[in-house]
């Protein structure tokens, strides 16, 4: 093998490695730009949230709102928080809202049970008719 073939082999290896690193660099740059674009879109989407979280007075509690077929009528109405707003709210407020909505759901179930038993003429349980 002549001496100049080694030079050609090394030039080809260096050229291929530069081409490989160039392709990797372009691919990395495109992924970085896509990430920056998604971060910008996420920033715009999250900037539309209310600056202050909901207070306990604005929590939607629909105890008596029951539709004609037995399910809640207020499932799409009311002052609900935007999805993801709980991330920025204080934990004590979220805990209070969770417990308040849990009690409201229990009360709504109890009222539906009382109404259903009254319609069927069934006897009421004392725990259902006990006023709280």
């Amino acid at each position: 093998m002549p001496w100049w073939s080694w030079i050609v082999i090394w030039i080809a290896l260096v050229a291929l490695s530069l081409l490989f690193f160039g392709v990797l660099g372009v691919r990395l740059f495109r992924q970085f730009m896509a990430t920056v674009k998604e971060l910008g879109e996420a920033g715009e989407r999250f900037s539309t949230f209310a600056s202050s979280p909901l207070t306990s007075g604005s929590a939607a509690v629909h105890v008596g709102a029951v539709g004609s077929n037995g399910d809640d009528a207020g499932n799409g109405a009311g002052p609900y928080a935007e999805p993801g707003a709980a991330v920025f709210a204080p934990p004590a407020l979220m805990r209070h809202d969770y417990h308040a909505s849990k009690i409201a759901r229990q009360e709504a179930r109890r009222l539906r049970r009382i109404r259903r038993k009254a319609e069927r003429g069934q006897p009421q349980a004392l725990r259902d008719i006990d006023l709280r």
Side-chain angles (χ1 to χ4, degrees), residues 8 18 20 33 64 67 70 73 76 97 104 106 108 113 115 125 127-128:
V8 171
L18 288 177
F20 177 73
M33 293 307 291
D97 289 349
Q106 288 174 350
R113 185 171 50 242
R115 191 188 68 222
R127 65 182 172 91
D128 286 343

Side-chain angles (χ1 to χ4, degrees), residues 3-131:
W3 63 271
W4 54 268
S5 63
W6 288 107
I7 295 174
V8 171
I9 290 172
W10 278 105
I11 289 175
L13 285 174
V14 168
L16 285 176
S17 65
L18 288 177
L19 179 68
F20 177 73
F21 287 128
V23 169
L24 281 182
V26 168
R27 185 171 171 225
L28 183 64
F29 177 74
R30 286 184 179 177
Q31 288 178 350
F32 174 74
M33 293 307 291
T35 303
V36 168
K37 181 181 175 184
E38 288 180 10
L39 281 175
E41 291 172 359
E44 290 174 6
R45 188 174 34 204
F46 285 124
S47 68
T48 60
F49 288 144
S51 60
S52 63
L54 290 178
T55 61
S56 62
S58 65
V61 179
H62 300 288
V63 175
V66 178
S68 61
N69 58 357
D71 49 346
D72 292 337
N75 54 5
Y80 293 108
E82 292 287 328
V87 175
F88 304 110
L93 177 64
M94 289 292 99
R95 191 176 305 112
H96 175 268
D97 289 349
Y98 169 74
H99 289 300
S101 65
K102 182 179 176 181
I103 291 171
R105 288 190 306 270
Q106 288 174 350
E107 185 66 18
R109 281 195 305 269
R110 187 181 74 81
L111 292 174
R112 286 194 308 263
R113 185 171 50 242
I114 290 171
R115 191 188 68 222
R116 186 176 57 242
K117 285 187 175 186
E119 289 173 356
R120 295 177 182 171
Q122 297 174 337
Q124 297 288 340
L126 285 178
R127 65 182 172 91
D128 286 343
I129 57 175
D130 221 6
L131 296 177

